[in-house]
């Protein structure tokens, strides 16, 4: 009993589960008797050679006397002659060619497991990453970093040589210096005032803070007005029209940028709790130096201007003084009236809290 492979026609044992030649599964193949195979006509070249081999084996089992007598009486067929001359060897039979892309079980076992798709997935991911454009930095953040770096260089240059502007700077650097100075001083006074009025009723504390905000706004307007007066005199009376107002402000602040460091230093002292009776003198000294530098810078800008209409700079300086007095009176008149009104309201609220 044996099993015939439905794919290549090879003979296998009755207990075989796979074909020993091509590896085809023999699970559904029924074992066949030897006599049934001999009576069947071969349908391919491999089945014919297998049948010839079986016939030769049967003839070899018959006695020699019968074989010789039958050989004399019966003609020899070409198949018998071929089987007598060269008996077929099943071990030398070639495996029929398989269709492209199909491998037998033995070939798959010899080649090992099929490669996984992981390299291809990694290649796809790498290609996708290469095709994905890099994220562009935020232009606002980059512009802010660049502005801060340039402004720091502007401060350092002004501290090293406050009287000499060696290169052009951003036109908003002057307003930035004035803003830092005003905000630092405002925060310093706010912290000092907040600690002083923390024990007062809520209405009085809010009134004091509102008065403080008005005072800060008044100081900011006064500083811008001083720069504007110097610009009008230099540009109009002396005829030095090389700079716009913002550029003039930047150069003006360049000569007095020490006030930026003084105001920031005062704020740090207040935040760290280092302001006491002994340090108040230092704070007033720094504030006086900053105010003095601010006034001196305007005078320096006036006398270093390029006069084109031959107007005497001494007279220009006197006109600047008169204009500054007028501006100061106007601002203080309207500003102080509001501030004094807030202070009076605060005193009245404070009196009512104690039933005066």
């Amino acid at each position: 009993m044996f099993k015939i492979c439905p794919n290549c026609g090879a003979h296998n044992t009755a207990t075989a589960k796979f074909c020993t030649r091509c590896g085809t599964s023999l699970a559904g193949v029924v074992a066949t008797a030897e006599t049934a195979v001999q009576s069947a006509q071969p349908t391919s070249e491999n089945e014919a050679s297998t049948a010839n081999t079986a016939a030769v084996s049967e003839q070899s089992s018959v006695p020699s006397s019968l074989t010789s007598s039958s050989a004399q009486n019966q003609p020899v067929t070409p198949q018998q002659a071929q089987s007598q001359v060269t008996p077929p060897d099943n071990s030398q039979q070639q495996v029929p060619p398989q269709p492209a892309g199909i491998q037998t079980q033995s070939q798959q076992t010899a080649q090992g497991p099929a490669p996984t798709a992981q390299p291809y997935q990694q290649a796809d991911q790498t290609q996708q990453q290469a095709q994905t454009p890099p994220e562009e930095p935020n232009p606002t953040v980059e512009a802010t970093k660049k502005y801060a770096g340039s402004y720091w260089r502007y401060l350092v240059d002004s501290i090293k040589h406050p009287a000499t502007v060696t290169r052009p700077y951003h036109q908003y650097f002057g307003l930035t210096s004035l803003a830092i100075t005003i905000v630092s001083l405002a925060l310093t006074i706010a912290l000092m005032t907040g600690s002083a009025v923390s024990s007062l009723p809520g209405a009085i504390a809010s009134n004091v803070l509102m008065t403080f905000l008005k005072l800060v706004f008044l100081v900011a307007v006064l500083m811008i007005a001083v720069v504007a007066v110097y610009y009008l005199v230099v540009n109009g009376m002396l005829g030095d029209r090389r700079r716009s107002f913002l550029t003039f402000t930047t150069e003006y602040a360049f000569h007095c940028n020490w006030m930026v460091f003084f105001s920031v230093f005062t704020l740090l002292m207040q935040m760290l709790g280092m302001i006491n009776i002994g340090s108040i003198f230092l704070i007033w000294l720094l504030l006086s130096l900053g105010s003095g530098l601010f006034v001196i810078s305007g005078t320096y800008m006036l006398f270093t201007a390029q006069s084109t209409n031959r107007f005497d700079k001494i007279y220009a300086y006197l006109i600047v003084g008169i204009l500054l007095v007028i501006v100061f009176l106007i601002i203080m008149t309207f500003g102080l009236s509001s501030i004094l009104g807030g202070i009076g309201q605060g005193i009245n609220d404070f009196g009512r809290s104690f039933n005066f």
Side-chain angles (χ1 to χ4, degrees):
M1 300 292 287
F2 51 86
K3 293 182 179 180
I4 299 176
C5 178
N7 184 31
C8 63
H11 290 68
N12 301 275
T13 60
T15 58
K17 295 182 180 181
F18 298 93
C19 181
T20 57
R21 179 181 298 172
C22 64
T24 302
S25 175
L26 302 177
V29 179
V30 182
T32 307
E34 182 177 0
T35 56
V37 177
Q38 291 179 0
S39 61
Q41 184 177 357
T43 58
S44 62
E45 183 180 357
N46 292 328
E47 293 177 355
S49 61
T50 305
N52 293 334
T53 304
V56 171
S57 61
E58 290 178 359
Q59 291 179 3
S60 61
S61 62
V62 178
S64 59
S65 59
L66 297 176
T67 304
S68 59
S69 61
S70 61
Q72 292 177 1
N73 297 329
Q74 296 180 358
V76 179
T77 62
Q79 294 178 355
Q80 293 176 353
Q82 184 179 0
S83 62
Q84 292 177 3
V85 175
T86 55
D89 187 2
N90 293 333
S91 62
Q92 296 180 357
Q93 292 180 358
Q94 298 181 355
V95 179
Q98 299 292 331
I102 300 177
Q103 294 182 350
T104 62
Q105 184 178 6
S106 58
Q107 293 175 349
Q108 293 178 356
T109 305
Q111 293 180 0
T116 60
Q118 185 176 2
Y120 299 99
Q121 294 177 356
Q122 293 178 355
D124 293 340
Q125 293 177 359
T126 305
Q127 185 177 4
Q128 292 177 0
Q129 292 177 0
Q131 293 178 355
T132 303
E135 295 183 359
E136 296 182 358
N138 192 337
T140 304
V141 176
E142 295 298 325
T144 304
K145 291 181 180 179
K146 184 177 180 181
Y147 184 88
S150 301
Y151 178 74
W152 176 253
R153 186 176 182 180
Y154 165 77
L155 286 179
V156 173
D157 292 343
S158 65
I159 297 303
K160 290 181 179 179
H161 303 285
T164 306
V165 182
T166 58
R167 62 174 64 88
Y169 297 99
H170 198 281
Q171 61 180 353
Y172 291 109
F173 283 175
L175 293 179
T176 304
S177 295
L178 295 180
I180 293 175
T181 302
I182 294 171
V183 171
S184 299
L185 293 176
L187 290 176
T188 302
I189 299 174
L191 292 175
M192 295 175 64
T193 306
S195 60
V197 302
S198 59
S199 59
L200 298 178
I204 299 177
S206 61
N207 196 353
V208 171
L209 292 178
M210 184 61 65
T211 303
F212 160 73
L213 292 177
K214 292 178 181 179
L215 182 61
V216 171
F217 178 76
L218 184 65
V219 172
V221 172
L222 183 61
M223 293 180 70
I224 298 298
V226 170
V227 177
V229 167
Y230 276 103
Y231 174 75
L232 291 176
V233 172
V234 171
N235 186 276
M237 294 184 179
L238 299 181
D240 188 356
R241 297 179 175 85
R242 297 174 299 168
R243 296 156 294 195
S244 63
F245 176 72
L246 293 177
T247 305
F248 183 87
T249 306
T250 298
E251 293 189 8
Y252 191 108
F254 184 90
H255 303 307
C256 58
N257 267 337
W258 269 108
M259 65 180 183
V260 177
F261 291 95
F262 292 159
S263 59
V264 173
F265 177 75
T266 304
L267 177 61
L268 291 177
M269 289 181 64
Q270 177 62 40
M271 294 176 64
L272 296 176
M274 299 174 60
I275 295 181
N276 49 34
I277 298 177
S279 61
I280 291 178
F281 175 76
L282 176 62
I283 292 175
W284 281 108
L285 177 63
L286 294 178
L287 294 178
S288 301
L289 289 176
S291 302
L293 285 175
F294 185 75
V295 175
I296 292 174
S297 296
T299 305
Y300 182 81
M301 293 286 291
L302 177 66
F303 282 98
T304 57
Q306 295 180 1
S307 179
T308 58
N309 53 10
R310 297 182 180 180
F311 192 84
D312 194 277
K313 294 181 180 179
I314 295 295
Y315 294 126
Y317 181 69
L318 292 176
I319 294 174
V320 166
I322 295 172
L323 292 176
L324 288 179
V325 171
I326 295 174
V327 169
F328 182 80
L329 290 176
I330 294 174
I331 293 176
M332 296 302 290
T333 299
F334 292 97
L336 282 180
S337 61
S338 178
I339 293 175
L340 292 176
I343 294 175
Q345 183 66 31
I347 294 175
N348 292 332
D349 294 338
F350 184 76
R352 292 192 190 96
S353 63
F354 287 96
N355 296 321
F356 286 169

